[in-house]
């Protein structure tokens, strides 16, 4: 029997609902239960694929090609269970489904309304997860009180009534702000948030109270009394020095015990948390430190590179070092000398991105790493700009560029018009819709025997997740390889370059895919392990 846990948030956004959901999932797994996590997002976009990273952070991509909310990355990194397209639904997708049914005549002449048609569609999304795991944890995006969230909350109220308290549990994440002039944490915002939630017919049975300092017992009792919640189910959720410490702190506060108590589960085994204890020990007690420069376009919002940040941390965990990340806006390098910003750096990573802004700065970063023999990791756009740099400065194509930026004489990077997926041909052109039209999801690649990447992976056939619209032009392969840039990974049909590397460089690899999306703290991606190891070796040379 599947039990459902719904996680809502109140007072303010960015309280850590996604992280809390992931941590709880990890705790239930540690007790021997199977879990599945999903998210309801109240925005009208069908998916976040067309949103700017400045608006919504990174877009997380699943194996089956879904562009999803970044919280699904947390779910995967904490539980190891691969997310799928049907683990993230938006208001836009819900309304699209309902309107398509209306056009087909599925509603038999009825007036289509928010209740019951929209709410039924939301409930169907949840019911589809029944029997898929012991526990389904469902996070609701946004903040209680937002008008956009109302249909979702109404659907969850109905769902809770339909399956009963024995199968549905509501957890509310809220904030206790500290007021310096009063010298105390304030409980009133939490009280109002719970009142708002109960106003739509949902009574939370567990509160996760976010705070930046210890919460006194008297305050916890006050919250329990005013919010009509058992005192032992008001759980402090204090700031942690590492996100990977959260499962341990939540367990210490009794979160998983109280969840099981709500469902009447009395005989669950004690959780085995050794893997998280080992990870936290390595994070807090590293044997050294490396400094990595991330030269990107969206450095003003760290959530733009959430999976990348974590994958670099995982590489540090594997090498037992702290990964100190320095973010540099690539546009800076278009006007100033990269050397002025890269002193003391042990490795350069140029991540993905879209558009011409900052591209020349990324090209200069790749050139600096190649000439100074500094470890370089180019991901997606970062690989493409490294190839453009090689074409210009090694192969003699002075006007080499990407057709993404407009017509050019030597389009070393060009728009993909067709490719193979699961034995079928997919086609796109410049007039195709922007949303969902990229090369998305898991694709296979074949690695060159004896190459550095084949040695890193320990095999010659891999599968990695993609998200891109432009591709390195295979017609330049021979000329570039003559100058030392080896195409060491190709699509199975040998038409699409997947990986490039320099044989005579300590560590210079560019990949068309996004390896950061598959990295986990307990299973770091091999490319990030190797990159950080190269950075460690470089640090010993200076």
């Amino acid at each position: 029997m599947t039990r459902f846990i719904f996680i809502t948030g109140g007072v303010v956004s960015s309280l850590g609902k996604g992280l809390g959901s992931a941590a709880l999932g990890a705790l239930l797994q540690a007790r021997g239960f199977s879990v599945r996590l999903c998210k309801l997002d109240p925005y009208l976009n069908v998916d976040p694929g067309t949103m700017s990273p400045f608006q919504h952070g990174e877009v997380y991509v699943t194996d089956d090609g879904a562009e999803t909310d970044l919280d699904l990355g947390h779910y995967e990194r904490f539980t190891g269970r691969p997310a799928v397209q049907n683990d993230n639904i938006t208001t836009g997708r819900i309304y699209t489904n309902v309107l398509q049914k209306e056009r087909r005549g599925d509603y038999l002449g009825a007036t289509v309304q928010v209740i019951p048609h929209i709410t039924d569609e939301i409930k169907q999304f949840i019911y589809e997860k029944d029997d898929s795991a012991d526990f389904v944890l469902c996070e609701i995006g946004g903040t209680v009180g937002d008008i956009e969230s109302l249909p979702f909350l109404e659907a969850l109220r109905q769902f809770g009534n339909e399956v009963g308290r024995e199968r549905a549990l509501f957890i509310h994440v809220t904030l206790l702000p500290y007021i310096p002039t009063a010298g105390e944490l304030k409980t009133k915002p939490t009280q109002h948030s719970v009142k708002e939630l109960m106003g739509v017919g949902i009574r939370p049975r567990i509160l996760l109270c976010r705070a930046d300092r210890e919460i006194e017992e008297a305050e916890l009792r006050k919250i329990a009394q005013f919010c009509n919640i058992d005192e032992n189910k008001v759980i402090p959720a204090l700031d942690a020095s590492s996100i990977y410490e959260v499962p341990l702190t939540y367990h210490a506060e009794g979160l998983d015990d109280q969840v099981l108590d709500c469902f009447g589960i009395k005989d669950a085994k004690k959780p085995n948390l050794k893997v998280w204890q080992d990870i936290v020990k390595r994070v807090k007690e590293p044997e050294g430190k490396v400094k990595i420069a991330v030269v990107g376009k969206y450095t003003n919002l760290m959530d733009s590179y959430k999976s990348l940040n974590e994958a670099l941390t995982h590489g540090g965990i594997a090498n037992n070092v702290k990964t100190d990340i320095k973010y540099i806006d690539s546009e800076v390098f278009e006007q100033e000398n990269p050397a002025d910003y890269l002193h003391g750096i042990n490795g350069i990573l140029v991540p993905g991105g879209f558009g011409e802004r900052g591209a020349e700065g990324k090209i200069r970063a790749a050139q600096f790493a190649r000439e100074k023999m500094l470890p370089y990791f180019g991901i997606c756009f970062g690989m493409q700009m490294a190839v453009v740099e090689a074409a210009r400065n090694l192969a003699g194509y002075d006007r080499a560029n990407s057709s993404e930026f407009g017509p050019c004489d030597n389009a070393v990077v060009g728009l993909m018009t067709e490719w193979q997926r699961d034995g079928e041909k997919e086609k796109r052109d410049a007039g195709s819709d922007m949303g969902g039209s990229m090369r998305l999801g898991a694709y296979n690649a074949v690695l060159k025997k004896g190459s550095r990447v084949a040695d890193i992976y320990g095999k010659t056939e891999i599968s990695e997740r993609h998200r891109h619209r432009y591709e390195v032009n295979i017609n330049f392969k021979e000329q570039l390889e003559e100058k030392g840039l080896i195409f060491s990974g190709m699509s199975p049909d040998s038409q699409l370059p997947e990986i490039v590397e320099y044989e005579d460089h300590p560590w210079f690899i560019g990949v068309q895919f996004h390896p950061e999306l598959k990295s986990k703290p307990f299973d770091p991606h091999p490319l990030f392990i190797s990159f950080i190891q190269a950075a460690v070796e470089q640090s010993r040379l200076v």
Side-chain angles (χ1 to χ4, degrees), residues 445-464 486-490 498-503 507-511 513 525-527 530:
V446 178
L447 309 185
K448 183 177 180 180
K449 292 182 179 179
S451 64
R452 183 189 297 274
V453 288
D455 180 60
I456 290 171
Y457 276 97
K459 53 187 176 182
T460 56
E461 294 184 10
I462 62 171
S463 174
E464 294 284 2
I486 306 303
F487 287 58
S488 54
M490 298 291 295
E498 293 279 7
I499 307 176
V500 297
E501 62 181 68
Y502 285 110
E503 290 182 320
W507 207 98
F508 192 112
I509 292 175
V511 299
F513 46 83
H525 194 285
L527 285 173
S530 181

Side-chain angles (χ1 to χ4, degrees), residues 123-180:
K123 287 189 293 182
Q124 182 59 32
F125 168 79
I126 302 168
Y127 274 119
E128 288 173 355
K129 280 94 181 143
D130 200 0
D131 293 330
S132 63
D134 295 324
F135 288 93
V136 169
L137 285 72
C138 186
E139 175 194 351
I140 295 82
T143 307
V144 170
D146 294 346
I147 191 170
E148 295 92 344
S149 300
L150 288 176
F152 287 103
L153 295 177
E154 169 60 21
L156 297 184
R157 182 195 66 78
Q158 295 177 20
F159 184 91
N161 287 340
E162 290 168 12
V163 302
R165 286 168 58 92
E166 299 78 13
R167 295 188 62 199
L169 167 67
F170 290 91
I171 297 176
H172 192 51
V173 184
T174 186
L175 176 69
L176 270 66
Y178 179 77
I179 308 299

Side-chain angles (χ1 to χ4, degrees), residues 323-467:
T323 304
D324 186 7
I325 305 173
K326 179 181 180 181
Y327 298 94
I328 303 174
D329 191 324
S330 59
E331 288 187 275
V332 171
F333 289 172
E334 296 177 0
Q335 305 295 330
E336 302 182 44
N337 187 349
D340 295 339
Y341 291 83
L342 297 172
H343 179 73
I345 293 296
N346 307 123
I348 298 174
L349 191 150
V350 176
F354 296 91
E356 187 173 9
R357 182 181 63 83
E360 291 296 325
K362 293 189 174 188
I363 291 171
R364 294 196 68 190
Q367 181 180 3
F368 183 91
R370 176 179 61 80
E371 294 177 346
K372 302 300 183 182
M373 293 295 175
L374 197 63
Y376 177 88
F377 196 177
I379 295 177
C380 195
F381 195 76
M383 167 186 165
Q384 295 173 2
M385 295 303 97
V387 173
V388 170
E389 189 277 324
R392 289 181 184 178
N393 299 320
L394 295 179
Y397 295 101
D398 295 340
R399 300 174 69 85
N401 216 326
S402 170
S403 63
E404 180 178 0
F405 313 145
C408 57
D409 294 341
N410 302 119
V412 176
V413 178
L415 177 69
M416 290 185 299
T417 57
E418 60 181 56
W419 61 89
Q420 293 289 326
R421 182 178 181 87
D422 299 330
E424 297 183 3
K425 184 179 291 187
E426 295 198 19
K427 293 186 176 182
R428 303 286 188 274
D429 59 40
S432 296
D433 287 347
M434 296 291 287
S437 63
M438 289 183 278
R439 189 177 181 219
L440 292 165
Y443 286 86
N444 295 332
V446 178
L447 309 185
K448 183 177 180 180
K449 292 182 179 179
S451 64
R452 183 189 297 274
V453 288
D455 180 60
I456 290 171
Y457 276 97
K459 53 187 176 182
T460 56
E461 294 184 10
I462 62 171
S463 174
E464 294 284 2
R465 297 177 187 176
H466 294 65
R467 184 178 183 252

